[in-house]
């Protein structure tokens, strides 16, 4: 009897759990394919025979704003069988008309993921009355049969978009800075948000970049606010682009007017606790054009080769006293403000006492405070074969154009190397390949050239003499017969 009761109890328990397992079901319902601009779209997740204990955030939908979440539950008893459902509903408000796509998504309910294929949603003009079946749970929350649609108004803004250049005229090769920024006054009340700045910049730069200039981009990756004062008024500046340009030729460079689009929200005239109190809208700002005059460099034999900027020489030498034939390193570094990439190696004058090998080159460029600064290093390996004092200024020089002074200048080393020991000039020459006639010494004959051709020369002279005698005899015979 006890075994029978125990068995019956186990069967009932197993039957109860199996019924729950079989009956439990999760369904995701999506709102209609088409709604009016004044209607709501919803995503509803319903779970049968279980409570909703936890859930993750619902997906975002482009062109919609989340409005709120509601939960509902129901219970049915049919023929003694109890069933229940629990639902959670996320509501969305369209912000503009158009065709939108709710991509495939998943929602985690009670620790399990449930997915939906998504759908396309068409938002049309506002409807005069909501359709049957579209229900907003907040309508009756405070005893109202219908909920008034909020009225959105646009707040006057105190903002502008501008391009700026730091110089109105430059020399060929001289850099000028260009920046694009959005400005809002500190007292501005209109809510703004940036709208796809990366895509907008790509389109702008295709039209704005000068074709005959080298660009050094400051590569702004994060748009950061910066407090500035313009005409005695405080502004928040959001710089979206900055670069320095170094023109290749004279003339004019024009930065055209630029259109910049921002998200500007309209705000609800009568804000409510539930729902959205602002509506997404767009406003386009326009900057004014800027022109930079590019002047040619003054006449100079190297004006098409020199760098333009404000530069200094930094030299570093491993030894100031060396032995003849002993190698040492010398660092000729050019630092300053300008197009560091365009800096060429210093000019060298060959001195028979000094041997120079091709340098190792290293450069560093710093972009900041609207300037391009840096250093370019030329690291030489040198040997000197004659004792004495060697002024490196007699061997190295670097010519450039200073745009501030509007004249050419030359950087020369100040280092003087003291060389001790015996002369090794001849030793250095012996190690070099002399070429020319020296290469033929081993293969050519050591006989004098005129002896080599003596036989042919004598034969030619004898034939010439015989011919002369015959010609003279012929002339004498003709005169005698005549």
């Amino acid at each position: 009897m006890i075994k029978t009761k125990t068995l019956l109890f186990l069967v009932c328990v197993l039957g109860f759990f199996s019924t729950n397992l079989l009956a439990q079901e999760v369904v995701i319902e999506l709102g209609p394919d088409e709604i009016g601009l004044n209607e709501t779209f919803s995503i509803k997740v319903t779970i049968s025979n279980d409570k909703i204990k936890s859930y993750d955030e619902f997906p975002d939908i482009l062109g919609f704003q989340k409005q709120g979440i509601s939960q509902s539950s129901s219970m049915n008893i049919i023929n003694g069988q109890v069933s229940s459902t629990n639902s959670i509903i996320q509501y969305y408000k369209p912000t503009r008309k158009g065709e939108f796509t709710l991509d495939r998504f998943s929602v985690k309910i009670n620790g399990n993921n449930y997915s939906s294929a998504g759908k396309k949603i068409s938002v049309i003009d506002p409807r005069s009355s909501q359709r049957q079946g579209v229900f907003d749970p907040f309508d009756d929350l405070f005893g109202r049969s219908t909920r008034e649609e909020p009225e959105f108004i646009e707040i006057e803004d105190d903002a502008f978009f501008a391009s700026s250049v730091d110089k109105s005229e430059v020399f060929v090769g001289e850099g000028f800075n260009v920046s694009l920024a959005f400005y809002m006054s500190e007292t501005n009340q209109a809510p703004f948000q940036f709208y796809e700045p990366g895509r907008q910049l790509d389109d702008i730069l295709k039209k704005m970049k000068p074709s005959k200039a080298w660009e050094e981009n400051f590569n702004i990756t994060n748009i950061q606010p910066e407090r500035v004062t313009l005409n005695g008024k405080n502004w928040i500046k959001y710089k979206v682009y900055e670069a320095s340009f170094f023109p290749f030729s004279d003339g004019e460079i024009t930065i055209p007017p630029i259109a910049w689009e921002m998200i500007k929200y309209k705000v609800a005239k009568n804000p409510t606790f539930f729902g959205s109190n602002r509506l997404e809208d767009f406003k386009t700002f326009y900057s004014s054009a800027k022109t930079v005059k590019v002047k040619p460099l003054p006449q100079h034999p190297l004006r098409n080769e020199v760098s333009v900027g404000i530069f200094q020489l930094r030299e570093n030498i491993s030894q100031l006293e060396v032995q003849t034939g002993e190698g040492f390193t010398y660092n000729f570094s050019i630092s300053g403000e300008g197009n560091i990439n365009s800096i060429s190696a210093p000019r060298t004058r060959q001195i028979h006492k000094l041997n120079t090998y091709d340098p190792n080159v290293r450069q560093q460029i710093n972009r900041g405070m609207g300037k391009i600064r840096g250093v370019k290093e030329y690291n030489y390996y040198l040997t000197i074969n004659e004792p004495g004092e060697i002024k490196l200024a007699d061997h190295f020089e670097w010519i450039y154009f200073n745009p501030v002074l509007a004249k050419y200048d030359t950087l020369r080393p100040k280092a003087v190397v003291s060389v001790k020991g015996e002369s090794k000039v001849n030793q250095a020459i012996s190690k070099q390949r002399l070429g020319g006639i020296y290469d033929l010494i081993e293969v050519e004959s050591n006989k004098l050239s005129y002896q080599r051709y003596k036989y042919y020369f004598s034969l030619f002279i004898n034939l010439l003499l015989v011919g002369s005698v015959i010609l003279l005899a012929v002339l004498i015979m003709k005169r005698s017969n005549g």
Side-chain angles (χ1 to χ4, degrees):
M1 185 66 178
I2 296 175
K3 289 183 178 180
T4 304
K5 291 182 179 179
T6 303
L7 181 62
L8 183 61
F9 174 77
L10 291 175
V11 170
C12 292
V13 171
L14 290 174
F16 174 78
F17 281 107
S18 63
T19 303
N20 280 347
L21 290 173
L22 292 172
Q24 183 173 335
E25 182 183 3
V26 174
V27 177
I28 299 179
E29 300 178 46
L30 304 181
D33 297 341
E34 182 181 275
I35 62 172
L37 189 59
N38 58 340
E39 296 176 337
T40 56
F41 180 83
S42 64
I43 298 177
K44 181 180 180 181
V45 179
T46 302
I47 184 170
S48 302
N49 300 314
D50 198 0
K51 292 182 179 181
I52 297 179
K53 306 177 185 70
S54 64
Y55 60 90
D56 276 355
E57 193 170 336
F58 282 76
D60 293 322
I61 307 176
L62 180 65
F64 289 77
Q65 290 181 340
K66 291 180 179 177
Q67 276 207 301
I69 291 179
S70 66
Q71 294 192 40
S72 63
S73 62
S74 63
M75 182 178 66
N76 295 313
I77 302 176
I78 301 175
N79 297 326
Q81 296 291 327
V82 179
S83 64
S84 65
T85 60
N86 286 272
S87 300
I88 183 169
I89 309 169
Q90 171 71 65
Y91 294 91
Y92 297 84
K93 185 72 175 177
T95 59
R96 58 183 184 273
K97 296 189 299 181
E99 299 291 330
F100 304 96
T101 300
L102 170 58
D103 296 324
R104 183 179 186 86
F105 67 94
S106 63
V107 178
K108 183 176 286 188
I109 304 294
N110 294 346
N112 297 316
N113 284 316
Y114 302 95
S115 62
S116 170
K119 70 185 308 180
K120 293 187 178 297
I121 310 166
S122 177
V123 180
I124 61 175
D125 289 325
R127 300 179 188 273
S128 58
S129 61
Q130 293 192 353
R131 297 174 299 159
Q132 294 290 331
V134 178
F135 172 71
D136 190 331
F138 300 113
D139 284 345
D140 298 321
L141 187 61
F142 298 106
R144 297 177 296 181
S145 58
T146 60
R147 181 166 62 92
E148 295 181 359
E149 290 298 326
E151 179 183 354
F152 293 98
I153 59 174
E154 182 175 355
I155 298 177
E156 185 176 353
D157 58 74
D158 192 6
F160 66 95
F161 183 77
S163 62
S164 60
V165 295
D166 64 340
K167 300 173 185 175
S168 59
E169 62 178 26
V170 295
F171 286 99
V172 171
E174 180 184 0
F176 64 93
N177 183 268
V178 177
S179 65
L180 305 177
F182 180 71
Y183 296 80
M184 285 194 310
S185 73
E186 288 188 337
T187 58
N188 174 71
Q189 298 296 319
F192 283 103
Q193 182 176 322
F194 283 94
Y195 175 66
E196 298 183 356
R199 179 193 59 78
Q200 289 196 72
L201 271 179
D202 287 342
D203 296 337
I204 289 171
L205 297 182
K206 291 175 184 177
K207 304 173 184 177
M208 190 197 80
K209 284 184 180 179
S211 59
K212 297 181 179 180
W214 176 269
E215 180 197 19
E216 284 287 349
N217 196 321
F218 283 56
N219 294 320
I220 296 175
T221 55
N222 294 317
I223 301 175
Q224 299 292 337
E226 176 188 354
R227 292 180 180 272
V228 296
T229 301
L230 301 174
N231 299 323
K233 186 175 180 179
N234 294 328
W235 298 81
I236 306 298
K237 178 181 179 181
Y238 297 89
K239 191 183 296 182
V240 298
Y241 171 79
E242 184 175 12
S244 286
F245 292 99
F246 299 87
F248 299 139
S249 58
D250 59 311
E252 281 190 350
I253 292 179
T254 299
I255 307 299
I258 296 169
W260 184 260
E261 193 172 26
M262 295 287 292
I263 297 175
K264 182 182 179 182
Y265 293 98
K266 294 181 179 180
V267 298
K269 187 174 182 180
N270 299 308
T272 61
F273 181 76
F274 296 100
S276 175
N277 287 318
R278 64 180 190 176
L279 179 66
E280 183 181 283
D281 201 359
F282 295 87
K283 181 173 181 178
T284 302
F285 295 85
Y286 296 90
S287 68
S288 58
K290 297 288 187 298
T291 301
V292 178
K293 180 182 178 182
V294 184
K295 301 179 293 185
L297 295 179
Q299 288 295 329
H300 190 278
L302 300 175
R303 76 169 183 170
N304 294 326
E305 302 175 24
V306 299
S307 294
V308 179
I310 304 171
F311 299 104
Q312 304 84 36
L313 172 62
R314 297 190 318 191
E315 53 182 331
N316 185 25
I317 189 168
S318 61
Q319 294 172 274
L320 289 175
E321 291 187 2
V322 297
Q323 296 291 320
T324 53
E326 179 182 328
F328 64 97
T329 58
Y330 173 67
N331 185 280
F332 189 104
S333 298
I334 303 161
S335 65
E337 178 186 328
N339 188 356
I340 307 300
N341 276 296
S342 71
I343 293 177
S344 57
R347 293 161 57 89
T348 57
R349 293 198 297 271
Q350 294 301 323
I351 304 175
H352 72 279
K353 297 180 180 180
L354 186 147
N355 296 320
T356 306
Y357 300 89
D358 290 339
N360 295 322
V361 183
R362 187 183 74 88
Q363 75 176 22
Q364 179 180 338
I365 300 175
N366 301 316
R367 304 169 183 88
M369 305 298 291
K371 305 292 183 183
I372 301 296
R373 298 182 178 91
V375 60
K376 198 160 191 175
E377 298 179 355
Y378 294 89
N379 201 41
Y380 291 90
Y381 182 78
L382 308 175
T383 59
I384 301 177
N385 300 311
E386 193 75 22
E389 287 193 345
I390 302 296
K391 295 180 179 179
L392 294 185
D394 296 334
H395 184 72
F396 295 99
E397 66 176 16
W398 190 73
I399 302 171
Y400 71 101
F401 182 79
N402 188 323
V404 176
L405 302 177
K407 68 175 186 179
Y408 294 90
D409 202 351
T410 303
L411 300 180
R412 292 187 176 90
K414 294 182 179 180
V416 177
V417 182
S418 177
V419 186
K420 297 180 180 180
E422 297 180 357
S423 174
K424 296 191 177 181
V425 173
N426 294 332
Q427 181 179 345
I429 292 175
S430 66
K431 293 180 180 178
Q432 297 177 0
R433 183 177 181 273
L434 299 176
I437 62 173
Y438 297 96
D439 291 340
L440 302 176
I441 290 177
E442 298 297 329
V443 297
E444 290 296 318
S445 173
N446 59 359
K447 294 182 179 180
L448 296 175
S449 296
Y450 77 88
Q451 291 180 346
R452 186 176 179 180
Y453 300 104
K454 182 177 179 180
Y455 172 77
Y456 299 104
F457 183 74
S458 298
L459 179 62
F460 175 74
I461 295 298
N462 290 333
L463 289 175
L464 184 61
L465 290 173
V466 171
S468 299
V469 172
I470 294 173
L471 179 61
L472 182 61
V474 171
L475 293 176
I476 292 172
M477 290 177 65
K478 285 185 176 181
R479 180 174 290 183
S480 299
N481 293 334

